[in-house]
Amino acid sequence: MDRDQLSEVFDLIEVRGVLSGGFAAHGRWVSRGTLGTPLKFFAVVRGGARLTTDGIDAPVELGPGDVAVLNNRTWLELEGGTGDAPPREILPEENDPSADLLGTGFGTADVLVGGRVELNPTGQALLRQALPPVGHVRGSAATAQHLRGTVHRLFDEVSTRRIGAEFAIRQHVQLLVLEMVRAYARQTELPPGWLRVLTDERLRPALALMHADPGKPWGLEELARAAAMSRTSFAERFRTVAGVPPLAYLGRWRMLLAQQALRDGDVRVGALASELGYTSESAFSTAFKRQVGLSPLRYRQRLRTQEPGGQRRIGA
C-alpha cells in the first residue's frame, strides 16, 4: 500500500481539532468577539450566517454545510436570521455545545458549531502559510459530500448525546479538520507550498520516494524519472507547486522528522543525523538550527522545560 503523505504530515505537525462551542438561533441574531486562537473554524449545520472579520473586503456568506476557517484573525462578527426585530446578541463564549444544542433538531432556523485547530509550532507555520485569511469551503459543492456528512454526524452526536458521545465527537471533529482541508484543496487554487505539492498527482511518485526514505541522497535525475518527467520539467514544476526546489523540500521534510524524533524520544543526535542522511552531527545541527532556530539539544531541552500555555478563545 502506498504511503499517504498528507496523513504523515498531519501526524508530524500534530493536527488536533477541538469543538469549542455551538448554538441554535431563531429570528435575527448576531455574535461578536475577539479571537484568541490562530486557526478557528465554524461549520453551518443548518440555515446560514454572514461572517465578517479583519483582512477581508466583504462579508462571507455561509450556507448549509459550509465551513469557514479563520487564519490568524483578531476579531469576528457572525450574523444571521430574518425579521424586523432587533437582533438577539449571542455571547461568543466558549461553551459545552451539548448544553446549547441538546435536543435541537434539523428544523431549527440557524445552527452553527465552532472549534479550533491545534498544531505544534511547525504545523501552525505550515497550515497558516497554506490558507488565506478566511478559507471558505462550500458544503454545496459536489466535491464536499464527505464534509457535509461529517458536519451532520458531528451535530447528531452533539444534539443527541448518546452513550460514548464524547469519544465520537472527538473523532468527528478530527475528521472534520481533514475533510475541510481536502475540500478546500479541491475547490481552490492553492498557493505554492506543502499542501499544494502533497495534492499534486504528477509529483506524488517523487514525493513518495522522499518520504519513504528521507535519509537517501536523492538526486534530481532519479526523482524526475519517478515522476516520468525530464529533469528540467520536474525541477520547474516542483518549484512552481511547492515554492521551493525538490532538495530544499527534502531538507524541510527531514527537519520535520527530526523535530518529531526529538519531541518523542531520547534518540542521540548523532544517530538521528545519520538516519536522516547527514554526513556528520555538526552538519545536521547546522541545518537544524538554520531551519528551526535552535540547536537540536536546545530544542529538546526547551520542549521538556516548557510550561503548557493557554489562551481564552472565542466559542462558536
Side-chain angles (χ1 to χ4, degrees), residues 169-196:
I169 289 169
R170 287 196 300 270
Q171 309 312 308
H172 286 312
V173 176
Q174 216 52 357
L175 286 173
L176 179 62
V177 173
L178 174 61
E179 293 299 345
M180 283 191 300
V181 172
R182 284 173 167 171
Y184 181 74
R186 288 192 292 264
Q187 293 179 23
T188 309
E189 179 65 31
L190 295 169
W194 70 275
L195 185 54
R196 184 171 169 186

Side-chain angles (χ1 to χ4, degrees), residues 4-252:
D4 176 359
Q5 285 86 46
L6 183 59
S7 295
E8 286 183 308
V9 172
F10 267 36
D11 285 338
L12 285 173
I13 65 178
E14 301 176 303
V15 174
R16 178 172 175 258
V18 178
L19 189 68
S20 59
F23 63 84
H26 294 273
R28 292 182 63 199
W29 58 270
V30 63
S31 182
R32 306 181 181 94
T34 57
L35 295 169
T37 186
L39 287 168
K40 182 76 182 172
F41 70 83
F42 295 90
V44 179
V45 180
R46 180 174 174 81
R50 186 162 51 256
L51 184 153
T52 307
T53 186
D54 53 315
I56 59 175
D57 297 328
V60 177
E61 298 289 342
L62 303 176
D66 285 12
V67 176
V69 184
L70 279 69
N71 180 11
N72 205 31
R73 301 300 88 200
T74 61
W75 61 269
L76 168 77
E77 179 177 282
L78 286 165
E79 54 182 331
T82 58
D84 298 325
R88 175 170 68 94
E89 184 156 359
I90 299 173
L91 295 177
E93 294 180 349
E94 192 164 295
N95 66 337
D96 175 5
S98 297
D100 289 339
L101 298 178
L102 185 63
T104 300
F106 277 96
T108 303
D110 296 316
V111 179
L112 283 79
V113 293
R116 60 184 181 270
V117 182
E118 296 183 343
L119 314 102
N120 61 34
T122 301
Q124 286 190 21
L126 285 175
L127 196 54
R128 285 165 58 184
Q129 171 265 333
L131 295 173
V134 177
H136 181 195
V137 186
R138 299 184 185 279
S140 58
T143 55
Q145 57 178 326
H146 294 295
L147 176 65
R148 294 193 301 271
T150 301
V151 170
H152 287 164
R153 285 188 290 273
L154 173 62
F155 172 72
D156 179 65
E157 291 292 345
V158 171
S159 61
T160 59
R161 205 64 183 176
R162 293 173 293 170
I163 186 172
E166 289 184 10
F167 179 82
I169 289 169
R170 287 196 300 270
Q171 309 312 308
H172 286 312
V173 176
Q174 216 52 357
L175 286 173
L176 179 62
V177 173
L178 174 61
E179 293 299 345
M180 283 191 300
V181 172
R182 284 173 167 171
Y184 181 74
R186 288 192 292 264
Q187 293 179 23
T188 309
E189 179 65 31
L190 295 169
W194 70 275
L195 185 54
R196 184 171 169 186
V197 76
L198 290 179
T199 57
D200 189 286
E201 292 294 332
R202 290 200 66 188
L203 296 177
R204 180 172 292 180
L207 284 175
L209 292 180
M210 290 189 279
H211 280 235
D213 192 358
K216 183 174 178 177
W218 294 104
L220 279 180
E221 194 72 40
E222 194 170 4
L223 295 173
R225 193 182 310 119
M229 301 170 71
S230 71
R231 175 174 168 156
T232 301
S233 297
F234 171 75
E236 289 177 353
R237 183 180 181 90
F238 200 102
R239 182 187 283 273
T240 298
V241 172
V244 295
L247 300 186
Y249 175 89
L250 175 60
R252 292 182 180 181

